[in-house]
Amino acid sequence: MRPVRGSLADALAEGPVVLDGGLSNQLEAQGCELSDALWSARLLADAPEQIEAAHTAYARAGAQVLTTASYQATFEGFARRGFGHRRVRELLGRSVELARRAADHAGRETWVAASVGPYGAMLADGSEYRGGYGLSVQELERFHRPRVEALAAAGPDVLALETVPDTDEARALLRAVAGTGTPVWLSYTVAGGLTRAGQPLREACAQAAGNDQVIAVGVNCCDPAEADAAVRCAAEATGKPVVVYPNSGERWDARSRRWTGASTYGGPERVRTWTRDGARLVGGCCRVGPEQITALGHALGRAPETAGDTDAPADARGDASGGRRAPGAGGAENSW
């Protein structure tokens, strides 16, 4: 029997909600090969059961929001592999369906966020960490609208406009989602207190200040140390709940093709600082896995009652590694 689910916006008004962590790291922990331009989106066609297992691992870990495997799923990207428009629309719908299945078996209120990655994710060359693609706002809107409409039609609880590198793309995304009737969150990727394209974060966040469709604004796919000031900035600029899900803080060495350094994601102290300053959607991005999400849930008083409170497939094993984007998938941006 499906648990009763209220709106995510109402839940945020009551207190912090725990997001999941990186999807690709969990898929790799399950033995999936992701060195492909389509990255984890390829598994929507080739191994959907692996995606559902990864969502289930996060549900078991205590995540209250499960993010779909659609970050890099685009009509253009799949077309290069010979997929027609109808088939791609089916795969986008499948991404929501797989997360919903895991959510429905979580035994508690669990929401589904349909991931809408930036234009640069489709290019698979790391340009989402630079922005400034040379496209107008209108051109970016035309790119995003078909995918946004397909995802919204599949019935997620929220659209996650995530890893946005600049204000032009944010503006295009907000135009593309208008009229869908689906709530959204807007999340920038930042460095040095600026968007990746070099714009002041306060001005970037302020674009969503008067937009009632936006239920949260914040940052993801950044160093954990960046998140402290970013949470305060987003809260002050918009007056909205803040979403924050940084990376682990480890760094990718492209030459040796391995992660270096220790995780600086932080423990309960950092998480409590974020929530004190306005964060209401809190989770992890690259190299943040199920174990860290469980620890985060404990810090926020949102941990699952037992570690085995869902019917998880045997291959849904969690570890402490993580990532929304795999370095071998064409986007090895060295700050994460």
Side-chain angles (χ1 to χ4, degrees):
M1 189 173 174
R2 293 184 178 185
V4 176
R5 187 177 68 253
S7 78
L8 181 55
D10 287 346
L12 298 183
E14 295 177 3
V17 172
V18 180
L19 294 173
D20 56 7
L23 183 61
S24 68
N25 56 278
Q26 179 56 30
L27 290 169
E28 288 175 334
Q30 293 167 197
C32 299
E33 171 57 51
L34 302 180
S35 56
D36 183 282
L38 285 175
W39 190 42
S40 56
R42 177 182 60 81
L43 300 182
L44 290 171
D46 295 350
E49 70 283 356
Q50 292 286 359
I51 293 175
E52 184 176 353
H55 289 317
T56 299
Y58 278 115
R60 288 171 61 88
Q64 297 169 274
V65 179
L66 304 178
T67 310
T68 65
S70 52
Y71 176 86
Q72 205 152 344
T74 64
F75 287 96
E76 293 81 357
F78 275 113
R80 297 189 192 115
R81 300 298 178 83
F83 288 80
H85 191 278
R86 179 179 295 181
R87 177 59 171 155
V88 178
R89 191 176 178 87
E90 290 173 355
L91 294 175
L92 289 167
R94 177 179 290 176
S95 73
V96 175
E97 177 187 353
L98 294 170
R100 183 68 73 199
R101 286 182 194 168
D104 285 346
H105 287 89
R108 62 186 180 281
E109 274 194 311
T110 306
W111 294 270
V112 171
S115 174
V116 182
Y119 177 81
M122 180 271 295
L123 300 178
D125 62 358
S127 60
E128 69 260 52
Y129 300 105
R130 299 187 296 272
Y133 314 115
L135 299 178
S136 68
V137 172
Q138 291 77 13
E139 288 171 321
L140 288 169
E141 180 185 354
R142 283 197 296 272
F143 166 78
H144 284 296
R145 186 176 292 278
R147 177 172 55 148
V148 160
E149 291 177 345
L151 287 169
D157 298 294
V158 61
L159 293 168
L161 314 181
E162 59 178 353
T163 324
V164 179
D166 63 38
T167 56
D168 280 351
E169 185 147 34
R171 192 174 299 114
L173 282 162
L174 291 175
R175 289 184 183 181
V177 300
T180 63
T182 305
V184 306
W185 81 59
L186 174 64
S187 180
Y188 290 94
T189 178
V190 298
L194 305 171
T195 69
R196 294 298 181 127
Q199 301 128 343
L201 181 59
R202 183 177 298 272
E203 294 177 15
C205 290
Q207 289 195 86
N211 189 327
D212 292 339
Q213 189 175 4
V214 181
I215 63 171
V217 180
V219 295
N220 76 291
C221 207
C222 62
D223 191 282
E226 293 272 355
D228 298 352
V231 168
R232 294 192 298 272
C233 179
E236 292 168 1
T238 67
K240 292 179 179 288
V242 175
V243 56
V244 56
Y245 47 119
N247 302 327
S248 71
E250 296 165 88
R251 294 180 179 272
W252 175 251
D253 185 327
R255 180 170 296 181
S256 62
R257 297 194 61 74
R258 65 186 182 90
W259 294 97
T260 62
S263 171
T264 58
Y265 181 76
E269 292 301 323
R270 173 163 269 156
V271 171
R272 290 183 187 129
T273 297
W274 294 341
T275 55
R276 180 200 67 198
D277 291 340
R280 289 296 177 269
L281 276 167
V282 184
C285 202
C286 302
R287 301 286 289 175
V288 176
E291 289 182 10
Q292 287 157 306
I293 296 304
T294 296
L296 186 156
H298 279 292
L300 297 177
R302 298 292 192 273
E305 292 183 6
T306 65
D309 60 352
T310 64
D311 299 323
D315 56 356
R317 297 185 296 272
D319 70 359
S321 65
R324 263 180 167 67
R325 166 176 280 285
E333 200 284 326
N334 290 340
S335 71
W336 53 264

